[in-house]
Amino acid sequence: MKDERVSTGIPEMDVLLGGGLERKVISQFYGDPGCGKSTLCQIAAVAVLRTGCSVVYFDPEGFSVERFRQVAGSDAEPLAERLFLYEPLDFDQQGLLLAESEKVLKRGKVGLFVVDTATVLYRAELSSGKEAQRKLARQVILLLGLSRRYDLPVLITNQVYMDVVRNVSAPLGGTILSHLSKAIVRIEVHEGYRRAVLEKHRSLPAGGSFDFEITGDGIRGVSRP
Ligand SMILES: Nc1ncnc2c1ncn2[C@@H]1O[C@H](COP(=O)(O)OP(=O)(O)OP(=O)(O)O)[C@@H](O)[C@H]1O
Ligand SMILES: [Mg+2]
């Protein structure tokens, strides 16, 4: 049987996810600003690029070439040749580019599809109410279709908002995004360290976690008493 999982480039994250990112589904990392979402995406992208596959990478916030260099090290230039980067400027353009990116997938050998942060442009459109929700749903369903047709793991990141009723910070995008993400990892910021917590998974109990620090070249797992 074909190995269904794709390494995130972080051994502790692979264990947390039951072996890595699952193909044909969307996995979601979410958390506060600066918790490490983009770093985790870049580490996963570099790990897949190192296997010889290509990566499609959406970054509506503007891709940090400098951070990519730090994470990829001396391989950065050759690896970047197989990184197909899209930087949409608004939510409608993001939808159009997601559809257009299928051209890259058709050429084959794409090992990972990243959208970091999937909801930042959605957030900017939220004042338009239901229409933004419908567009988000369309984009996520489109992504799911691509992941299935091309046997791909899709990794998205998501921001949080303050849910004043429950008095907790919750991921954006409502139930549609939570339902369509088959693995969800919450990244918490604690004094001096971060914690990745498995919030939802298809074949593992929720609640597993590991602690890490962000470092010059990526992240490092830390053990805490
Ligand atoms: N070279 C580095 N060495 C150590 N820490 C770094 C380095 N580069 C970035 N960081 C730290 O990483 C954190 C930002 O990580 P990252 O950009 O992955 O977070 P994010 O969750 O994507 O944030 P945002 O919500 O703003 O997109 C910051 O705390 C920053 O100080
Ligand atoms: Mg980021």
Side-chain angles (χ1 to χ4, degrees):
M1 207 156 79
K2 189 175 171 187
D3 180 16
E4 292 297 312
R5 306 293 166 137
V6 172
S7 177
T8 61
I10 301 161
E12 295 89 338
M13 184 66 87
D14 289 347
V15 171
L16 190 72
L17 292 170
L21 297 167
E22 197 175 345
R23 295 174 194 274
K24 295 188 186 343
V25 302
I26 296 171
S27 299
Q28 178 189 151
F29 295 167
Y30 82 90
D32 283 328
C35 69
K37 301 180 293 292
S38 298
T39 302
L40 293 169
C41 287
Q42 291 212 3
I43 293 169
V46 165
V48 170
L49 290 166
R50 286 207 170 113
T51 68
C53 288
S54 302
V55 172
V56 173
Y57 202 111
F58 274 70
D59 192 336
E61 291 165 287
F63 186 77
S64 172
V65 173
E66 193 169 342
R67 193 65 176 132
F68 181 79
R69 280 189 207 285
Q70 291 174 355
V71 170
S74 55
D75 294 345
E77 300 296 329
L79 291 183
E81 285 172 21
R82 281 181 283 107
L83 183 73
F84 291 87
L85 186 61
Y86 294 85
E87 296 181 315
L89 297 172
D90 61 49
F91 202 43
D92 287 334
Q93 194 182 51
Q94 178 163 300
L96 291 171
L97 290 175
L98 283 171
E100 198 178 293
S101 69
E102 185 166 8
K103 287 182 196 153
V104 176
L105 303 182
K106 275 185 181 152
R107 286 192 235 157
K109 273 210 102 184
V110 174
L112 175 66
F113 198 118
V114 177
V115 188
D116 175 35
T117 305
T119 47
V120 65
L121 300 174
Y122 158 78
R123 180 170 231 165
E125 268 206 21
L126 263 181
S127 56
S128 73
K130 285 233 155 78
E131 185 53 22
Q133 286 250 327
R134 270 198 294 273
K135 286 182 193 172
L136 180 67
R138 272 202 297 273
Q139 291 190 12
V140 178
I141 287 166
L142 195 148
L143 268 173
L144 191 57
L146 294 176
S147 77
R148 293 222 180 119
R149 276 201 292 288
Y150 297 94
D151 196 29
L152 272 175
V154 171
L155 173 60
I156 67 170
T157 63
N158 195 3
Q159 296 181 344
V160 293
Y161 73 100
M162 192 60 199
D163 181 337
V164 287
V165 177
R166 291 188 296 141
N167 198 29
V168 288
S169 62
L172 278 172
T175 46
I176 178 96
L177 199 49
S178 296
H179 282 304
L180 292 176
S181 302
K182 292 304 169 197
I184 301 181
V185 176
R186 181 176 72 245
I187 312 294
E188 301 172 351
V189 180
H190 294 272
E191 191 68 39
Y193 68 99
R194 268 96 169 137
R195 175 167 290 165
V197 182
L198 188 65
E199 201 169 280
K200 175 184 168 185
H201 195 278
R202 297 213 282 188
S203 54
L204 288 171
S209 69
F210 73 93
D211 296 341
F212 67 92
E213 291 171 349
I214 299 181
T215 63
D217 61 358
I219 73 152
R220 177 176 53 230
V222 290
S223 51
R224 299 180 45 77

